[in-house]
Amino acid sequence: MTTIEEAVSFGLSFKNTYIDTPFRKADWKLLRIKGSKKAFLCIYERDGFVNLNVKVDPAWRDFWRSTYASVIPGYHQNKEHWNTIILDGSIKEDDIKRMIAESYDLVTDSPTKRIYEAVKRIPKGKVATYGKVAEMAGNKKMSRAVGNALHKNPDPDNIPCFRVVNSKGELAPEFVFGGMGEQRKLLEADGIEVKNNKVDLSKYGLE
């Protein structure tokens, strides 16, 4: 990858992305996420080379900078959270793509997305409390956010929110996808015993 066209093409291969040219210089291009409009890739020419600015996890920031001399602190951006990749031919193609992909993942991440991914990991025959889901999603303190996210579950067939109960193992009195009776029916179909609209966490709770 050495040209603007190649960088743009790869950036646009990610879901829900589009190209924007908000600056005076036409060769400065931003690749953004539809909806949030957040940029994950900035492409421009500088000192005879195509440069890419990518968002980076601070845990990996210095690794990339020490691995390649052509990966430097973000040019014209927050140097704690952004790196600049100079496409001078010295960086492995796979690593360039990996850094762009990591930037995309960082920008598209959200608490709600992490909550849904956590719920997907609750196996059949088990339940998790709101607090456990919050912990699995990376923040023990966002139990309330778990409830709000599940109330707006966009894909209940694949995000099994019926496997989430309160801290006492009780079913949701207002289970949004058919009421408490529907949640009980789905849990029982999973092989989970429900007594008095309550699940025994010691037996079925996710560790």
Side-chain angles (χ1 to χ4, degrees), residues 133-184:
V133 172
E135 180 184 339
M136 292 165 66
N139 187 344
K140 295 179 180 180
K141 297 181 179 180
M142 62 180 185
S143 297
R144 187 182 297 275
V146 172
N148 292 336
L150 297 187
H151 189 76
K152 301 173 183 177
N153 185 349
D155 187 9
D157 289 337
N158 293 304
I159 304 172
C161 55
F162 68 89
R163 293 177 182 154
V164 182
V165 297
N166 71 14
S167 59
K168 297 179 181 179
E170 296 170 340
L171 278 57
E174 297 180 359
F175 182 63
V176 71
F177 302 104
M180 186 183 289
E182 181 64 18
Q183 185 179 14
R184 183 177 62 251

Side-chain angles (χ1 to χ4, degrees), residues 23-38:
F23 306 121
R24 292 180 182 178
K25 290 187 176 181
D27 61 339
W28 278 68
K29 304 180 189 300
L30 293 184
L31 269 69
R32 300 185 186 271
I33 310 298
K34 293 177 182 177
S36 70
K37 297 183 179 179
K38 291 182 179 180

Side-chain angles (χ1 to χ4, degrees), residues 168-201:
K168 297 179 181 179
E170 296 170 340
L171 278 57
E174 297 180 359
F175 182 63
V176 71
F177 302 104
M180 186 183 289
E182 181 64 18
Q183 185 179 14
R184 183 177 62 251
K185 185 171 71 174
L186 290 169
L187 288 171
E188 289 174 343
D190 254 6
I192 295 173
E193 186 178 15
V194 179
K195 289 184 178 180
N196 299 319
N197 294 315
K198 188 175 180 180
V199 173
D200 183 349
L201 292 177

